[in-house]
Amino acid sequence: MTLTPLQKREGTAKITFLVTLAVFAQEVTWNFYDAQVPPLLLAHLGSAALVGLCMGMDNVLGLFVQPFMANRSDNTRTSWGRRMPYLMVGMPLAALVFLTVPLVASSLPMLITAIFFYGLITNGFKSISESLMPDFLPPERRSRGNAAVKIASGLTSIVAALLSILVVDEHPTAAFFIPAAMMLVAVAVLGLTVRDSRSAAYQAALVEDGLPQSRSRKEIRATGTMAEILRDRDRSRLLLVAATLLFSCAWAASRSLITPYGMEALGLSRGDAGGLPLVSGLVYIALAYPIALLAERFGRLRVMVIGMITFAVALVGATAFPSQLGTMIALSIGAAGAAGFIINAAVVLWNLAPSARVLGTYTAIYNIGWGMGGFLGPFLIGAVVDVTGWRLMLVDIAVVACIAAFVVTRIAARRPSTPSPQTGALS
């Protein structure tokens, strides 16, 4: 039976909602974890550096776990699909470990053990859940699907903040049960509604499995996929990963260092400085979907470059006119620009994948680039601030963003100016 355009849109909307639900459930636990685990560690360690080291453990785990598990899912073939079996096991396990965190908080060894296993399990299915999006959606509609996921991720920070404000002080242990319950509800809904064996990418992978050239290599390994990207003379995919790492450095630094910047450069109180990014977060959520539509209309690479330049110019403007209001306006404009990159970068990488068989591995590669940038950015910008001073911090970040924009222009120079049915609008 041939589906009508309305039926196709309804199917796309349904799977977008379900994938967004999965990402929302895992991200709300992450955001609450980032907000509430540091005080538990600080009670034992008494050192901000050691707390930061423990909290960065998940980034290190992700370097190894995400590509391995995403690649395993790429090579899995079941009647349920290649992603769902891992989600149905991983998400309940993560929720269970998450629940143990406040229960073992009185013992530092037990707390670190719980943190380790939570990071291990959640990294195990993070890229897998996100890979459902390119599995189901055609290339030309992936930007708007990814925008929905990014909006959900943005909302989780608000949910986690509300839980911290309304629940933690009165019920510090029970507060962990709410995000865990959200994850369990999400996995139950997914289990009842999603069979990714029906996705277009899974069906394409089955077809490729049956080709003569595929039979001699039953599985595609993550190391082989990475090596192929490194060897490719085109360099587009490698440049995109490099741009992702660079822009992630800039974005992470602009978020994590903004409170001390407000205190040192603008003379604000700790509370007022911490509130500088609030409006920008709302702007990001409000404009994410319209920016995705613009990218599908005018080209993803073009929107990414314009967005990064907008981000950089806004930060330079904040430096030229330093004030609380001016900085909030600049961060809001910068967030709108940053959305142009954040929403579309993973989509471009998916659309550059040579086969539907490696979409999960490509998701993990993107997440590694973004995660490493988030890990390195605050440190590198902080080191520059030690030399140039807090007043120029936003300019330092803008320089990194401009370098990332230049890298993306090199990708655009290598891609055709008109979109193809296979890759969608890239440039």
Side-chain angles (χ1 to χ4, degrees), residues 1-210:
M1 181 180 67
T2 303
L3 296 179
T4 66
L6 177 60
Q7 289 172 320
K8 290 181 179 179
R9 286 197 297 272
E10 290 175 345
T12 298
K14 178 182 177 182
I15 194 61
T16 299
F17 169 77
L18 291 170
V19 175
T20 300
L21 178 65
V23 174
F24 178 88
Q26 70 183 41
E27 289 295 326
V28 76
T29 60
W30 270 118
N31 277 285
F32 191 76
Y33 169 92
D34 287 339
Q36 294 304 323
V37 170
L40 300 179
L41 288 168
L42 193 60
H44 293 284
L45 299 173
S47 165
L50 291 176
V51 170
L53 183 65
C54 291
M55 293 300 293
M57 187 189 308
D58 58 90
N59 289 291
V60 178
L61 287 171
L63 287 174
F64 305 97
V65 176
Q66 285 201 43
F68 174 78
M69 290 302 298
N71 179 253
R72 292 309 307 161
S73 73
D74 278 342
N75 290 299
T76 297
R77 304 289 183 266
T78 72
S79 60
W80 212 342
R82 55 182 177 174
R83 317 292 186 201
M84 287 305 298
Y86 296 96
L87 297 182
M88 295 306 295
V89 174
M91 292 179 75
L93 277 178
L96 179 63
V97 174
F98 187 77
L99 288 175
T100 67
V101 171
L103 300 178
V104 301
S106 60
S107 167
L108 180 60
M110 293 295 292
L111 179 59
I112 292 178
T113 300
I115 290 172
F116 173 82
F117 280 104
Y118 175 74
L120 182 69
I121 295 169
T122 49
N123 271 298
F125 65 81
K126 175 177 171 61
S127 293
I128 292 174
S129 63
E130 294 172 3
S131 298
L132 286 171
M133 185 66 70
D135 279 352
F136 277 96
L137 297 191
E140 66 274 10
R141 296 185 70 88
R142 288 172 180 169
S143 281
R144 65 186 73 185
N146 203 38
V149 169
K150 298 304 182 184
I151 290 171
S153 296
L155 289 173
T156 59
S157 62
I158 298 174
V159 172
L162 290 174
L163 288 175
S164 295
I165 294 170
L166 300 176
V167 184
V168 168
D169 288 340
E170 296 295 328
H171 307 284
T173 299
F176 281 77
F177 282 71
I178 298 174
M182 291 180 179
M183 184 177 288
L184 292 174
V185 170
V187 74
V189 172
L190 288 170
L192 292 172
T193 56
V194 176
R195 295 290 184 274
D196 69 284
S197 56
R198 301 170 185 169
S199 71
Y202 185 85
Q203 294 300 317
L206 290 180
V207 172
E208 291 185 53
D209 289 345

Side-chain angles (χ1 to χ4, degrees), residues 225-248 301 304-305 308 341 344-346 348-350 352 362 365-366 368-370 400-415:
T225 300
M226 294 178 183
E228 193 266 331
I229 291 174
L230 290 172
R231 291 194 303 263
D232 186 9
R233 296 177 63 183
D234 186 302
R235 299 296 182 190
S236 293
R237 291 170 293 174
L238 184 60
L239 288 171
L240 184 59
V241 174
T244 298
L245 190 150
L246 286 167
F247 192 72
S248 178
L301 293 178
M304 288 164 62
V305 172
M308 287 186 284
F341 182 91
N344 292 294
V348 173
L349 190 59
W350 287 332
L352 289 174
Y362 270 57
I365 291 170
Y366 170 81
I368 288 172
W370 187 260
V400 178
C402 287
I403 296 172
F406 174 76
V407 173
V408 175
T409 63
R410 304 316 304 152
I411 303 171
R414 297 168 180 268
R415 310 310 303 173

Side-chain angles (χ1 to χ4, degrees), residues 272-398:
D272 287 342
L276 287 172
L278 176 61
V279 177
S280 67
L282 298 175
V283 169
Y284 177 89
I285 292 172
L287 295 183
Y289 197 78
I291 287 173
L293 297 180
L294 287 174
E296 291 180 358
R297 173 66 179 84
F298 296 105
R300 296 184 177 95
L301 293 178
R302 187 174 293 116
V303 168
M304 288 164 62
V305 172
I306 293 172
M308 287 186 284
I309 293 174
T310 300
F311 175 81
V313 170
L315 297 191
V316 172
T319 304
F321 303 98
S323 68
Q324 182 177 5
L325 178 60
T327 302
M328 293 180 73
I329 293 172
L331 290 177
S332 298
I333 296 172
F341 182 91
I342 294 170
I343 290 165
N344 292 294
V347 178
V348 173
L349 190 59
W350 287 332
N351 292 355
L352 289 174
S355 164
R357 299 174 75 196
V358 295
L359 284 174
T361 306
Y362 270 57
T363 304
I365 291 170
Y366 170 81
N367 282 334
I368 288 172
W370 187 260
M372 286 305 298
F375 183 70
L376 294 173
F379 169 75
L380 295 175
I381 294 298
V384 176
V385 166
D386 288 341
V387 177
T388 63
W390 284 102
R391 186 180 175 278
L392 295 177
M393 185 195 80
L394 297 181
V395 174
D396 301 333
I397 295 172

